[in-house]
């Protein structure tokens, strides 16, 4: 079974700090990687879908990169705000319809 | 509004009493999937469907059934629920394989 790992498990940052998290996945048979933002008491919301090695995606202050050869993706948040507080999930696929999710990075931005 | 609708949001039931959690999407998505979320574990896939009448097992299918008779609906059936199926369940859909999911609002199920 494909194993997707995220680190750190949780972190606290001050408002205005920039931060980043890691998603690691097996690089063999890679098909696609997703990032989701999951706020408490809500549903996960898609941020990015990436498929190509070297892909970079950006949405406002949040961006992501993908390295399929070494099996990792980074999510960056520039100038963190309290509303960025959420759990960030990544999910990877080996080219089938089965997506495996990591356990997430829980971010708390302190005002 | 484009959305995935799950019902019910909360459900407490007793062991062995059959139940169905409904899921409907209004985006004409081909792909639909069910996940369960348990503390300390990532979202785990129960079943998925590539299109009408095409379904397959995910990683944790035991104790669950699904059907896809219409493109918009993908109900999750627990024929004889047990306490280890107490969990938070999410239905999700996407337009194409590999597309980002749209998730439903979740169903918190407790089996006593």
């Amino acid at each position: 079974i494909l194993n997707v790992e995220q680190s750190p498990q949780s972190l606290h940052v001050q408002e205005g700090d920039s931060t980043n998290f890691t998603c690691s996945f097996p690089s063999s048979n890679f098909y696609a990687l997703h990032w989701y933002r999951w706020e408490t008491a809500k549903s996960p919301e898609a941020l990015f879908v990436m498929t190509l090695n070297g892909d970079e995606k950006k949405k406002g202050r949040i961006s992501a990169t993908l390295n399929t050869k070494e099996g990792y993706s980074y999510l960056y948040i520039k100038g963190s705000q309290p509303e960025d507080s959420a759990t960030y999930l990544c999910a990877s696929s080996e080219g089938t319809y089965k997506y495996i999710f990591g356990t997430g990075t829980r971010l708390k931005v302190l005002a | 509004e484009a959305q995935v609708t799950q019902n019910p949001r909360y459900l407490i039931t007793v062991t062995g009493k059959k139940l169905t959690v409904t899921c409907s999407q209004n985006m004409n998505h081909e792909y639909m999937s069910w996940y369960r979320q348990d503390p300390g574990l990532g979202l785990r896939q129960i079943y998925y469907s590539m299109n009408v009448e095409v379904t397959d097992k995910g990683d944790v299918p035991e104790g669950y059934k699904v059907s896809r008779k219409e493109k918009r609906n993908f109900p999750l059936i627990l024929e004889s629920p047990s306490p280890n199926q107490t969990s938070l369940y999410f239905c999700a859909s996407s337009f194409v394989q590999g597309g980002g999911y749209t998730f439903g609002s979740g169903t918190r199920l407790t089996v006593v």
Side-chain angles (χ1 to χ4, degrees):
Chain A
I1 293 179
L2 181 69
N3 192 32
V4 176
E5 297 185 354
Q6 292 188 246
S7 62
Q9 199 169 30
S10 66
L11 76 163
H12 291 69
V13 301
Q14 289 295 131
E15 182 176 358
D17 286 351
S18 294
T19 187
N20 65 85
F21 341 120
T22 305
C23 174
S24 300
F25 54 88
S27 55
S28 57
N29 300 319
F30 172 82
Y31 180 78
L33 186 108
H34 296 188
W35 280 102
Y36 292 87
R37 181 172 180 273
W38 191 4
E39 290 183 76
T40 303
K42 294 188 178 180
S43 310
E45 181 183 327
L47 286 172
F48 306 114
V49 177
M50 296 184 288
T51 57
L52 299 175
N53 185 48
D55 252 356
E56 292 187 29
K57 302 263 182 167
K58 188 175 181 183
K59 195 174 188 177
R61 294 179 291 98
I62 303 176
S63 61
T65 60
L66 179 66
N67 183 322
T68 61
K69 292 182 179 179
E70 296 181 40
Y72 65 84
S73 176
Y74 292 138
L75 188 81
Y76 301 92
I77 302 178
K78 186 177 178 182
S80 302
Q81 299 297 308
E83 58 265 30
D84 295 329
S85 297
T87 296
Y88 292 84
L89 299 174
C90 72
S92 185
S93 166
E94 287 184 315
T96 67
Y97 290 92
K98 292 185 179 183
Y99 275 84
I100 304 296
F101 279 80
T103 53
T105 292
R106 185 174 296 179
L107 173 67
K108 177 73 175 175
V109 182
L110 306 170
Chain B
E1 182 188 352
Q3 60 185 0
V4 176
T5 302
Q6 271 180 252
N7 281 297
R9 290 290 306 271
Y10 302 92
L11 178 61
I12 302 174
T13 190
V14 296
T15 299
K17 186 177 181 182
K18 181 179 178 180
L19 66 92
T20 299
V21 184
T22 63
C23 175
S24 180
Q25 50 93 5
N26 62 0
M27 297 165 281
N28 202 35
H29 284 172
E30 287 92 6
Y31 183 66
M32 297 185 76
S33 187
W34 276 102
Y35 287 87
R36 62 178 286 173
Q37 167 71 49
D38 300 293
L41 300 174
L43 287 164
R44 293 183 294 167
Q45 193 172 41
I46 303 170
Y47 270 94
Y48 60 92
S49 170
M50 293 78 85
N51 216 322
V52 175
E53 301 292 2
V54 184
T55 64
D56 205 352
K57 297 177 181 179
D59 293 313
V60 288
E62 295 78 21
Y64 304 95
K65 288 174 64 176
V66 293
S67 68
R68 189 93 181 270
K69 296 176 182 172
E70 305 165 283
K71 198 171 188 179
R72 61 184 294 126
N73 296 323
F74 190 45
L76 180 70
I77 303 156
L78 284 72
E79 294 271 1
S80 183
S82 62
N84 64 12
Q85 292 179 297
T86 293
S87 188
L88 176 60
Y89 291 87
F90 285 102
C91 179
S93 72
S94 68
F95 186 58
V96 293
Q97 179 191 2
Y101 282 130
T102 299
F103 280 86
S105 51
T107 296
R108 188 166 291 281
L109 172 66
T110 301
V111 183
V112 297

